[in-house]
C-alpha cells in the first residue's frame, strides 16, 4: 500500500499530518507530502485511510 | 451589552419576522442565530441556494458540494468584501477609513492573496504552532483557578472569551493586559458591527491606530515577534507596506479571537448539555482531538461572503455582478449527502471532511492554532471540572450572523 499526496490540491489543512504523522510530513508552510516513497506498512493502514477520509481537499489517495 | 467605553450601541439588530426562508432569509433573525439547523435542512430539500433582499441582498447555499464549489470559484467570486453589510457609501470619511484597513489575505484575491498568505503561513504551520502550547495550557489553568472554588461560572464570558485574545497577543507580541480592549474591538467589528457598519468602521479605525503605533515601535526596537517578522519580510525585494502589515495584524486579531472563542464556547455548551459525551471524554481523554473535529463540524462558527465579479449561472440561479454569496460552511457541515447522520453529533465520527475552516485557497491560515486552543481549553476544563451542566433556568445567549457562538453560558459544577 502506498499513500500519495496531490500537492496541487493540498491547501494545508494538516488533518493528514495529525492523523498519520508516521506517513506524512509538512513543510514550513504547512503543505503535506508523503514520507519517503509513501510506503504504508500494514500496521499503519488504518491511519492512512483516516488521512484520506479527513482531507477536505480530497488531496490524499491510497494505491493498494 | 449597550454601554461600551466608546458609548456605541452594541444591541442586537432588530429584524422583521421571516415567513419564507427561501426568498427572504435573515441571518440576523433571532431564530436563525439560536437554531439555524432546521432552516438549512428545509432549504436543502427545496431551494438549496436561497436568496434575500435583506441586508443589501445575498445568496445562501446550503449543500456541501455547492458551498465547496463556490469557495473554489476564483476569480469569478471575489473575497474583497467578506462582510455582508457594507457601510453607507455616502459617508466619505468612514468609507475611507473602511477601505484603507483591509485585511489581507482574507480580503484579497490572487495575486495579492498568494503572497500575503505565504507571508503568514510559516507562523501558523503545525510545528510553529506547537510552540504556543505551554503558554496556552498555563493560561487555561490560571483562568480555571479563578473560578473553580465558586461552583459556577459563565463559561463563555469568563473562560472561552478570555483565551484567544491572550494567545493572539502572545503571538503578535502585544500587551496581553489589553485583552479586554481586544474583545471590545473585535465585538465592534464582528459582533454588533456585522449589522451596524458605523460601529464596525469605528472599531476598525481603533485597531488600525493601535497596530500603526505598534509598527512604529517595532521599527525602532525590533523584537522576536510576528509584527517584527512581517516588517522584516520582503516581497520582490521591497519591504511590505506598513498599511499591509497593519491590515494583516488586524485580520489576525479579528479572525483569531471571535471565531475561536465561539468554537470553545459552543464545545462547552455541547458538553454541558450532553452528559454522555462529556463522560466519554472524561473517561478517555485520547478521544479529545477527534471529538474537537466533530464539534467543529457540528457548530462551525464562520460564514464569510464573496462578491460576484461576472454573471454566473449556478444550480439554476443567476448571480449578477455585485451580488454577495455567503460561504455557508456551517450549513455544508450539516448536509446529509456529505455526512452520515449529519444531524447527530458523534464525537467518535471517523470520516469527517468538515469545512469549518473553509476550503480552497482561503483555508483558515490559523486552523492549527485554533485546534490547539480548542484542544487545550476543553482538555484542561474537563481535567479540572469533569462534571458540569447548565445552571437551572440558565439564560444562554448566542451571537450570530457571520460568526456564531454562545456569549453567555452559565454552568454549575
Ligand atoms: C475555531 C476557530 C476558527 C474558525 C472556525 C475559523 C474559520 C475560518 C474560515 C472559515 C476562513 C475562510 C474564510 C473564507 O473562505 O473567506 C478563515 C480564514 C482565516 N482565518 Fe480563521 N478561523 C478560526 C480561527 C483562526 C485563528 C486562531 C486565526 C489566527 C490567528 C485565524 C486566521 C485566519 C486567517 C489569516 C484567514 C485568512 C486566510 C486566507 O484568506 O488565505 N483563524 N478562518
Ligand atoms: S489534509 Fe489534505 S489539504 Fe490538509 S495537509 Fe493533508 S493533504 Fe493537505
Amino acid at each position: 500500500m502506498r499513500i500519495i499526496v496531490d500537492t496541487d490540491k493540498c491547501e494545508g489543512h494538516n488533518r493528514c499530518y495529525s492523523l498519520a504523522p508516521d506517513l506524512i510530513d509538512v513543510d514550513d508552510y504547512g503543505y503535506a507530502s508523503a514520507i519517503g516513497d509513501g510506503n504504508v506498512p500494514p500496521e499503519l493502514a488504518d491511519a492512512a485511510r483516516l488521512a484520506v477520509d479527513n482531507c477536505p481537499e480530497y488531496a490524499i489517495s491510497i494505491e493498494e | 451589552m449597550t454601554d461600551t467605553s466608546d458609548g456605541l450601541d452594541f444591541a442586537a439588530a432588530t429584524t422583521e419576522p421571516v415567513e419564507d426562508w427561501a426568498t427572504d432569509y435573515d441571518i440576523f433573525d433571532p431564530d436563525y442565530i439560536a437554531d439555524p439547523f432546521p432552516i438549512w435542512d428545509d432549504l436543502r430539500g427545496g431551494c438549496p441556494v436561497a436568496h434575500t433582499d435583506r441586508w443589501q441582498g445575498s445568496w445562501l447555499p446550503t449543500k456541501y458540494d455547492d458551498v465547496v464549489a463556490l469557495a473554489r470559484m476564483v476569480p469569478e467570486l471575489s473575497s474583497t468584501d467578506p462582510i455582508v453589510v457594507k457601510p453607507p457609501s455616502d459617508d466619505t470619511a468612514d468609507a475611507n477609513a473602511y477601505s484603507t484597513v483591509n485585511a489581507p489575505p482574507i480580503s484579497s484575491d490572487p495575486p495579492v492573496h498568494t503572497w500575503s498568505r505565504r507571508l503568514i503561513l510559516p507562523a501558523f504551520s503545525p510545528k510553529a504552532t506547537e510552540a504556543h502550547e505551554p503558554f496556552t495550557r498555563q493560561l487555561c489553568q490560571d483562568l480555571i483557578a479563578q473560578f473553580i472554588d465558586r461552583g459556577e461560572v459563565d463559561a463563555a464570558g469568563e473562560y472561552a472569551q478570555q483565551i484567544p485574545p491572550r494567545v493572539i497577543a502572545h503571538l503578535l507580541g502585544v500587551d496581553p493586559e489589553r485583552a479586554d480592549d481586544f474583545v471590545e474591538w473585535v465585538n465592534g467589528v464582528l459582533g454588533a458591527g456585522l449589522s451596524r457598519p458605523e460601529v464596525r468602521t469605528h472599531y476598525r479605525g481603533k485597531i488600525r491606530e493601535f497596530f500603526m503605533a505598534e509598527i512604529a515601535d517595532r521599527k525602532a526596537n525590533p523584537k522576536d515577534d510576528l509584527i517584527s517578522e512581517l516588517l522584516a519580510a520582503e516581497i520582490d525585494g521591497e519591504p511590505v507596506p506598513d498599511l499591509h502589515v497593519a491590515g494583516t495584524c488586524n485580520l489576525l486579531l479579528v479572525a483569531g479571537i471571535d471565531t475561536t472563542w465561539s468554537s470553545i464556547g459552543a464545545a462547552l455548551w455541547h458538553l454541558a448539555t450532553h452528559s454522555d459525551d462529556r463522560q466519554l471524554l472524561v473517561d478517555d481523554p485520547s478521544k479529545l482531538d477527534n471529538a474537537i473535529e466533530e464539534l467543529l463540524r457540528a457548530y462551525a462558527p464562520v460564514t464569510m461572503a464573496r462578491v460576484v465579479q461576472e454573471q454566473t449561472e449556478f444550480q439554476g440561479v443567476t448571480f449578477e455582478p455585485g451580488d454577495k454569496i455567503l460561504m455557508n460552511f456551517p450549513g455544508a457541515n450539516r448536509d446529509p449527502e456529505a455526512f452520515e447522520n449529519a444531524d447527530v453529533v458523534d464525537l467518535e465520527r471517523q470520516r469527517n471532511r468538515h469545512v469549518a475552516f473553509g476550503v480552497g485557497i482561503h483555508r483558515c491560515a490559523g486552523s492549527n492554532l485554533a485546534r490547539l486552543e480548542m484542544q487545550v481549553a476543553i482538555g484542561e476544563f474537563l481535567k479540572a471540572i469533569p462534571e458540569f451542566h447548565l445552571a437551572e433556568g440558565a439564560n444562554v445567549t448566542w451571537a450570530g450572523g457571520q460568526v456564531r457562538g454562545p456569549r453567555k453560558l452559565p454552568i454549575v459544577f
Side-chain angles (χ1 to χ4, degrees), chain B residues 129-149:
Chain B
T129 302
E130 274 166 33
H132 303 300
E133 209 232 71
F135 174 87
T136 309
R137 198 168 293 284
Q138 187 65 49
L139 168 64
C140 291
Q141 289 171 351
D142 291 347
L143 288 168
I144 293 169
Q146 289 174 23
F147 55 74
I148 188 143
D149 294 333

Side-chain angles (χ1 to χ4, degrees), chain B residues 96-144:
Chain B
N96 281 339
Y98 178 75
S99 60
T100 51
V101 206
N102 55 7
I106 209 171
S107 62
S108 323
D109 295 325
V112 173
H113 173 265
T114 314
W115 65 258
S116 57
R117 177 175 172 87
R118 228 178 142 72
L119 199 59
I120 56 171
L121 283 179
F124 295 98
S125 74
K127 291 166 193 178
T129 302
E130 274 166 33
H132 303 300
E133 209 232 71
F135 174 87
T136 309
R137 198 168 293 284
Q138 187 65 49
L139 168 64
C140 291
Q141 289 171 351
D142 291 347
L143 288 168
I144 293 169

